[in-house]
Amino acid sequence: MIDLAHYEAWFVTGSQHLYGEQTLRQVERQAREIAEALDKSADIPVRVVFKPVLTTADAIRSVCLEANAAPRCIGLIAWMHTFSPAKMWIAGLATLRKPFVHLHTQHNREIPWATLDMDFMNLNQSAHGDREFGFVNARMRLERKIVVGHWQDAAVTRALGIWARAAAAWADWQGMKIVRFGDNMRDVAVTEGDKVQAQITFGYDVYGYGVGDLARAVNEVSDAEVDRLVATYLDEYEVAPELRRGGERHDSLRYEARLELGLRHFLEAGGFKAFTDTFEDLHGLEQLPGLAVQRLMRDGYGFGAEGDWKTAALVRALKVMDTGINAGVSFMEDYTYHFGADGVDKVLGAHMLEVCPSIADPSAKPKLIIAPLSIGGKSDPVRLVFDAHPGTAVVASIVDVGQRFRMVANTIDVVPLDAPLPRLPVARALWVPRPNLRVAAAAWMYAGGAHHTALAYAVTPDHLRDFAAMAGVEFVLIDERTDLEVLRNQLRWSEAYYHMSRGFGG
Ligand code: MN
């Protein structure tokens, strides 16, 4: 459902007429060569589209306006091959509404020591041409990413790829519709937030629907559709005997299939990319969707429990960034702790039901079971149970801190369970947060991070930093370099910075 190959990053090259037609033709040939190489790079998941070399303010403004209006264009990759006097860029950049990355590179890798002359120097002068461009970006206080290095270096293509994934997720959010079935879980604070400001800041819109609307879609599902989906379940998972055909709880499995199909139809018909539910609002539904939510997340939908639309949106964004890598992205919650006798403290993450099987350890077939919800008083939901695979990962949350939003992220190492958890009826991930639980949990709470998060393996703090920059929101990273006192001061300084830079506009 997510396709990054239909997105484009436009490669724009700055120059001027001072050098003459012959030099400009050479600039164009070399810029085209770089754009084509980036387009072919496996590190960059979107198309890189070459645009003619820009030498006038009108041409620059035109390409920026075109980029704004092109739905496939996720942003610009800008490079000043020669010297492009940057007052030419002001009108264009002032209108640009898409993200851009400033690629500071040079066509030629090494200095040709024996033959270097002034012609070569005048052609390969991004070393100062890009500084002129950088000045005007800084002067205009424009949010952008700067990538430095030779265009054939893996570090450069990787950095551009990270930016492109963040920009694709950002493009995906613009005009995105999220459906919220029921409301917020009563009395919970962090899942609340200013939905109008979220739409202004992030571009997505949260649509409230009654649970009865979903119940109607669920009831309209045909028995034949349910039969087919149940057959898929029996094939894909290790299904508990009581849920199989002839088993005493088989009707619950059929109802879960009905829930999945009803939800899926509702999301498709409404063009929704993410959704929330809450166990407090189930009127008309017999059970809280478990497996249904897990499978929809696996297919790329964002999800947040208890009405948590901010996390639903974030899970979706991380799904977009993970597309094609498929290392796994899930809704997650810090659930319980293990203060290890060996001094290594761990977090057991899980949720009541809704952990995405994209993070499951592929060596074991997920188990499909039925068990009570323990709270809520509805009938027992069917859910997939598995362990998350080990590896370095990140957990992230976006919170509304009043007048603005903040993204908080923590680098973690998902580790194997110390011992099996035979009586725990939910999917789970065990991790060691960096630098350690003592610092990470304190830092997380000083920053007001939520108990709900999006967990991802291939998405890195660099992706999240680029994404937060595109949104213009604060990014607080907790990792191996975190010092609590430095972080607390960072939060204080950021408070002042955002207050002064935004004024009354939010
Ligand atoms: Mn929760």
XYZ file of all heavy atoms in Angstrom, residues 305-306 333 351 451-452, ligand 1:
54
model
N -3.517 3.142 20.110
C -4.585 2.646 20.984
C -5.120 3.783 21.845
O -4.497 4.844 21.968
C -4.052 1.522 21.866
N -6.273 3.541 22.445
C -6.873 4.492 23.402
C -7.034 5.906 22.822
O -6.856 6.903 23.513
C -6.042 4.533 24.701
C -6.163 3.278 25.543
C -4.963 2.338 25.366
O -3.829 2.787 25.372
O -5.218 1.119 25.213
N 4.317 0.049 23.691
C 4.127 0.718 24.976
C 5.149 0.169 25.969
O 5.340 -1.041 26.042
C 2.707 0.471 25.495
C 2.401 1.155 26.808
C 0.900 1.101 27.145
O 0.162 1.994 26.695
O 0.478 0.160 27.827
N 1.590 -4.414 24.375
C 0.340 -3.697 24.578
C -0.712 -4.718 24.892
O -0.428 -5.904 24.956
C -0.029 -2.813 23.371
C -0.929 -1.684 23.767
N -2.271 -1.667 23.495
C -0.671 -0.555 24.474
C -2.792 -0.557 24.009
N -1.847 0.134 24.613
N 3.906 7.247 27.022
C 4.080 5.806 27.261
C 3.808 5.019 25.988
O 4.239 3.889 25.853
C 3.178 5.320 28.402
C 1.725 5.621 28.215
N 1.179 6.854 28.510
C 0.718 4.872 27.735
C -0.121 6.831 28.241
N -0.422 5.657 27.755
N 3.077 5.601 25.052
C 2.900 4.991 23.726
C 4.028 5.470 22.814
O 4.370 6.655 22.823
C 1.584 5.440 23.091
C 0.381 4.770 23.664
N -0.889 5.202 23.381
C 0.243 3.696 24.483
C -1.772 4.438 24.001
N -1.112 3.512 24.681
Mn -1.977 1.945 25.883
